Amino acid sequence: EVQLVESGGGLVRTGGSLRLSCETSGFSGNTFSDYSIGWFRQAPGKEREAVSCMSNRDGYIEHAEAVKGRFTISNDYAKNTVYLQMSALKPEDTAVYYCAAGRICGGYFEAWGQGTPVTVSS
């Protein structure tokens, strides 16, 4: 069973930066490269939304329009970890951020982390 652990959230001022990490393990016969890792967020009172996704198989990347040009997703195969570098943060980026593992971006995500909170103060 794939397990994911997020870290790196916190409090930051508008315009600041944070880097979130998603450490993965437990692939049970599969490998890190077999999965795509997506970042999602859920703000208070709002539905969860997709933020960014990266395929570890072929490097395909996609970002939501709201974060294009500000967020970067990358991975480290040696550490089985995916990162979300967030820059030029806005108060509307405040949310709990989750990473999840699935076979393809935009598809079904079979495992989720516990989330890490990000608060952007104005």
Side-chain angles (χ1 to χ4, degrees), residues 73-116:
I73 190 169
S74 62
N75 59 13
D76 184 332
Y77 290 96
K79 297 181 178 180
N80 287 355
T81 298
V82 175
Y83 303 98
L84 185 68
Q85 178 68 48
M86 306 186 296
S87 303
L89 283 162
K90 306 174 181 180
E92 51 263 44
D93 294 317
T94 295
V96 178
Y97 284 71
Y98 301 88
C99 62
R103 294 297 180 150
I104 59 170
C105 292
Y108 172 72
F109 287 85
E110 62 189 69
W112 293 78
Q114 82 289 349
T116 185

Side-chain angles (χ1 to χ4, degrees), residues 35-48:
Y35 285 86
S36 294
I37 303 297
W39 284 97
F40 299 79
R41 67 186 181 186
Q42 187 166 20
K46 296 187 177 181
E47 293 187 356
R48 186 176 64 201

